Amino acid sequence: MNRFTRKVAALAAGLGLLAGSLSAQAEGQIRIAEQFGIVYLLLNVAQEQKLIEKHAKAAGIDAKVEWVKLSGGSAVNDALLSGNIEIAGAGVGPLLTLWDRTKGKQNVKGVASLGNFPYYLVSNNPNVKSIADFTDKDRIALPAVGVSVQSRVLQFASAKLWGDKEFNRLDKISVAVPHPDAAAAIIKGGTEITAHFGNPPFQEQELAGNPNARIVLNSYQVLGGPSSATVLYATEKFRSENPKTYKAFVDALDEAAKFVTANPEKAADIYLKVSNAKLDRDLLLKIIKNPEVQFKTTPQNTYPLAEFMHRVGAIKNKPASVKDYFFDDAQNVSGN
């Protein structure tokens, strides 16, 4: 080899090593976006007990895990599409929106459920006993108007009451507000916010903190039973290019679900520690032990919302089943 050829060969070898290094470094890198509430308890347990790192190490890789706190499905979806996170935590509504938008491109799909939780639309307006009683003077707080699962369930309920053409009737009085701020407004009263479609523990805090607060709508009633309102999702690229990291995450989530189910008291302490929430522990335990709450990773009863969103034109592609918008993993095989 002449001098020039040797230099080219050396450079090529160096680039090959660098590419190998970058490829190896990709495995183990994972950034996870979560929002507010007990619905993210499985992630809190995985974080506190370093379960992702544990399962990654068993697979022969060192995991670098970063936790990102966001509010609203829109912000989470933007973070995923911009490459700022690998795992998105949000409602089924945002998942379906992004699945539809990225079909045939980034191919975003669900990874797992975070469990079944009833979501309550709570109002402190004594004149509001059902969604039919809201007027233009009311303001309904939820994480993201027209995108969040709370917003989609409210639209679904509106369609059932007023017909599909009126599905977004209450969007005009809905406002995007983080759960902690919305809960404070409902408890305090006297603000423009007269209702909040939230999640645990904020809805329970509102009911306990304001005698005028009442449940106007229960998501289980709209969806026809226990359902996985909050889920985790990712791009096909991340799943296919980081199989060990992806599996470590899924295995960690499954271990966390089993831990919470078997150890509600310890799980409550972990939530208070990781979230730094100012929450009564007895109320927290009551929520975790609520028979309507189930901590499991298999998605349940998500398809009715998917079918509704397609019917009213919120998504263009109609999924044939849950298998279209969730990855074909063991925890999703029996999903619906």
Side-chain angles (χ1 to χ4, degrees):
M1 297 170 66
N2 61 36
R3 191 174 181 181
F4 176 75
T5 306
R6 283 197 300 271
K7 284 186 176 181
V8 172
L11 178 61
L15 289 174
L17 288 172
L18 177 60
S21 175
L22 290 174
S23 177
Q25 191 178 29
E27 278 280 25
Q29 304 287 318
I30 183 169
R31 294 163 295 178
I32 304 158
E34 60 176 321
Q35 299 185 60
F36 300 94
I38 296 172
V39 294
Y40 295 95
L41 181 55
L42 300 191
L43 295 182
N44 300 149
V45 170
Q47 179 180 358
E48 200 275 338
Q49 296 189 343
K50 296 189 180 301
L51 298 181
I52 302 171
E53 293 88 339
K54 168 188 167 183
H55 287 279
K57 190 173 183 179
I61 57 176
D62 292 323
K64 181 180 179 183
V65 184
E66 184 179 342
W67 301 89
V68 181
K69 182 80 79 173
L70 296 172
S71 178
S74 296
V76 172
N77 284 355
D78 288 344
L80 185 64
L81 289 180
S82 63
N84 289 317
I85 58 172
E86 283 71 48
I87 299 288
V92 174
L95 162 61
L96 289 165
T97 298
L98 211 53
W99 165 78
D100 180 63
R101 193 193 310 175
T102 64
K103 187 175 173 61
K105 293 175 284 189
Q106 296 100 323
N107 290 324
V108 170
K109 290 187 178 184
V111 174
S113 167
L114 283 170
N116 295 337
F117 300 86
Y119 283 11
Y120 303 150
L121 172 58
V122 175
S123 177
N124 61 7
N125 182 347
N127 297 319
V128 175
K129 296 177 175 60
S130 75
I131 64 172
D133 298 323
F134 284 117
T135 71
D136 289 342
K137 294 181 180 180
D138 290 294
R139 291 296 179 268
I140 304 170
L142 35 75
V145 181
V147 178
S148 65
V149 67
Q150 288 89 347
S151 185
R152 292 304 188 188
V153 170
L154 184 58
Q155 290 177 345
F156 198 179
S158 297
K160 288 185 174 183
L161 180 61
W162 294 300
D164 283 355
K165 291 184 178 180
E166 296 282 334
F167 80 95
N168 59 355
R169 181 169 176 168
L170 297 178
D171 282 7
K172 63 183 179 182
I173 63 169
S174 298
V175 292
V177 182
H179 289 317
D181 297 336
I186 293 298
I187 293 171
K188 180 182 178 182
T191 74
E192 67 169 1
I193 295 174
T194 57
H196 174 214
F197 208 157
N199 66 11
F202 305 105
Q203 56 196 27
E204 286 81 7
Q205 287 178 303
E206 293 162 1
L207 294 170
N210 187 333
N212 291 323
R214 66 174 60 81
I215 299 173
V216 175
L217 192 71
N218 183 329
S219 63
Y220 280 10
Q221 296 171 338
V222 181
L223 297 171
S227 56
S228 306
T230 304
V231 296
L232 301 167
Y233 46 101
T235 63
E236 186 178 57
K237 178 180 173 67
F238 172 71
R239 178 175 177 264
S240 62
E241 293 185 358
N242 303 272
K244 291 182 179 179
T245 305
Y246 181 88
K247 188 175 187 303
F249 175 75
V250 171
D251 289 346
L253 201 66
D254 185 59
E255 183 175 343
K258 292 175 181 176
F259 175 87
V260 173
T261 302
N263 305 280
E265 300 260 357
K266 293 180 180 178
D269 291 335
I270 288 174
Y271 176 79
L272 292 173
K273 176 183 176 182
V274 175
S275 68
N276 199 29
K278 306 301 179 184
L279 177 65
D280 179 74
R281 188 175 183 275
D282 289 339
L283 179 61
L284 175 58
L285 271 174
K286 184 179 179 181
I287 296 169
I288 294 175
K289 293 181 178 180
N290 181 351
E292 288 191 315
V293 171
Q294 300 166 318
F295 293 97
K296 59 181 185 177
T297 59
T298 300
Q300 182 175 342
N301 203 22
T302 64
Y303 190 72
L305 192 63
E307 192 278 333
F308 159 74
M309 287 176 63
H310 176 263
R311 194 173 72 238
V312 298
I315 56 175
K316 296 179 181 179
N317 298 288
K318 182 179 181 179
S321 72
V322 69
K323 293 178 175 61
D324 282 347
Y325 52 90
F326 269 85
F327 287 120
D328 185 21
D329 300 330
Q331 71 277 6
N332 301 326
V333 171
S334 60
N336 56 58

